[in-house]
Amino acid sequence: MKDIVILGIESSCDETSAALVRNGREVLSNIIYSQIDIHQPYGGVVPEIASRNHVKKISSIVDMAFKEAKLNYSDIDGVAVTYGPGLVGSLLVGLSYAKSFAYAAQKPLIGINHIDGHICANYIGNDDVKPPFLTLVASGGHSHLILVKDYDDYTVLGQTRDDAAGEAFDKISRTLGLGYPGGPAIDKAALLGDPHFVEFPRAYLEEDSFDFSFSGLKSAVLNYLNSMKMKGETYRPEDIAASFQMAVVEVLVEKTLSAAEKYSIQNICLSGGVACNSLLRKIMKQRCQEKNYKLSYPEISLCTDNGAMVASAGYYKFVKKDFAPGDLTAKPNLKI
Ligand code: KG4
Ligand code: ZN
């Protein structure tokens, strides 16, 4: 079969990224411009600033992707772009650019759900990962447990009822004064802390539910910190970070394993920014070994937002000729 090369464009939050990927799994280039430094002083992403910086950067990022891959515009087969979920102004930049690019290059446009992109990051550089598998998608905006029955056949088994896992990391980090983004900061601080310093609550919800809830944990941490302050007692942020992280990770791991058991799935994947978390990777690895399950996760740079995951998802839609209509628009609340 002829090789298929897809240009993937991602701009749903604060990363402007473009990538060229061959046959859904081989990265030819993956240029990621992160705006973290720009948003850091605000303690979170400022939507208008994010959109303005996407506009500023997108053409040069796409050019760099072609240059690095040593390809011309005419060498690609399709243009894949994230059209939701995400920040509407940010999504519109990537989508408008991709539409114009596809029109000028006379290539089909493929609309990608950002969560689908995170899932497909597992295929990159890893020929062993093939459906069926169970994946935990945990990022700043989403926490889902998804059964991937085929490349285009997903069943959502559970999702967050309130905060996403990454959102909880970001909020607790801000409260502890550890900075933004919170996930990497808490991950690092927790290495120096006691994960059992405080046994924060684990929200398992109803028996057999694969949904998540992190708002109770977030309140429990905030209440604990307030009561320490009122009593004039001190604490080490590292101990709170480690205890909080352990509470999140235990729930993510146990829910994933019980879903695997219920659906008799032995292959498990991790996706999304929180899949970078070192404790999550470690405990999930240990528990999967005990159960004889096969665990995979993308390399760190492919867990957080990037164009390669969008191009990979685009490939599986391209082969099914699942192209976007001409009136495709940004859908900030797009569901998987
Ligand atoms: O997938 P992503 O780049 O963007 C969204 O789709 O939301 O994920 C970003 C999220 C942020 O909340 C960030 O704090 C979290 O992923 N994150 C981590 C780690 N690295 C990034 N969370 C926990 N541990 C990490 N090492
Ligand atoms: Zn993401």
Side-chain angles (χ1 to χ4, degrees), residues 132-143:
F133 58 85
L134 173 72
T135 186
L136 170 70
V137 189
S139 71
H142 327 279
S143 300

Side-chain angles (χ1 to χ4, degrees), residues 15 20 46 63 79 82 87 94 127 134 137 142 153-154 185 232 240 255 261-262 296 309 315:
E15 268 95 21
L20 289 157
V46 182
D63 281 349
V79 181
T82 304
L87 301 171
D127 290 346
L134 173 72
V137 189
H142 327 279
D153 187 1
Y154 297 171
I240 309 301
K255 290 241 170 202
E261 194 160 328
K262 177 157 181 195
S296 310
M309 69 185 201
Y315 168 79

Side-chain angles (χ1 to χ4, degrees), residues 80-318:
V81 62
T82 304
Y83 72 104
L87 301 171
V88 68
S90 290
L91 289 165
L92 283 170
V93 176
L95 182 57
S96 305
Y97 190 90
K99 274 191 169 186
S100 315
F101 194 101
Y103 180 77
Q106 301 208 327
K107 305 290 177 187
L109 180 75
I110 306 157
I112 301 298
N113 182 313
H114 184 76
I115 299 171
D116 189 11
H118 276 304
I119 295 170
C120 292
N122 279 289
Y123 301 135
I124 299 174
N126 198 345
D127 290 346
D128 289 350
V129 176
K130 289 187 180 116
F133 58 85
L134 173 72
T135 186
L136 170 70
V137 189
S139 71
H142 327 279
S143 300
H144 285 77
L145 259 176
I146 298 176
L147 193 56
V148 178
K149 292 188 260 178
D150 206 340
Y151 290 100
D152 59 350
D153 187 1
Y154 297 171
T155 302
V156 176
L157 305 180
Q159 56 193 297
T160 185
R161 294 187 186 170
D162 38 60
D163 292 355
E167 199 177 346
F169 271 94
D170 293 336
K171 285 183 183 165
I172 297 303
S173 176
R174 201 177 317 158
T175 310
L176 291 173
L178 296 174
Y180 171 84
I186 290 207
D187 200 340
K188 194 169 158 214
L191 294 173
L192 305 170
D194 172 5
H196 299 291
F197 184 75
V198 193
E199 295 298 339
F200 289 121
R202 276 73 165 149
Y204 286 103
L205 307 174
E206 306 82 33
E207 209 178 313
D208 265 7
S209 168
F210 297 118
D211 281 350
F212 300 103
S213 168
F214 295 109
S215 68
L217 169 61
K218 194 184 66 190
S219 304
V221 177
L222 298 180
N223 289 341
Y224 177 85
L225 296 179
N226 277 336
S227 79
M228 293 294 274
K229 207 169 156 188
M230 305 258 278
K231 287 189 263 174
E233 290 179 25
T234 55
Y235 58 84
R236 291 171 66 237
E238 292 85 353
D239 290 329
I240 309 301
S243 301
F244 160 78
Q245 179 175 262
M246 185 55 96
V248 175
V249 166
E250 272 185 9
V251 173
L252 292 176
V253 171
E254 292 315 316
K255 290 241 170 202
T256 306
L257 291 178
S258 54
E261 194 160 328
K262 177 157 181 195
Y263 290 89
S264 307
I265 289 278
Q266 265 105 46
N267 294 328
I268 295 177
C269 292
L270 302 180
S271 329
V274 180
C276 296
N277 187 265
S278 59
L279 186 74
L280 175 64
R281 288 177 174 226
K282 184 176 153 195
I283 297 195
M284 193 72 97
K285 208 182 222 170
Q286 285 167 353
R287 296 285 283 120
C288 284
Q289 267 165 4
E290 283 163 29
K291 296 251 175 201
N292 241 342
Y293 292 162
K294 188 173 175 303
L295 174 69
S296 310
Y297 37 73
E299 64 174 65
I300 296 279
S301 64
L302 296 171
C303 287
T304 46
D305 294 348
N306 66 88
M309 69 185 201
V310 177
S312 174
Y315 168 79
Y316 293 101
K317 284 187 174 283
F318 181 93

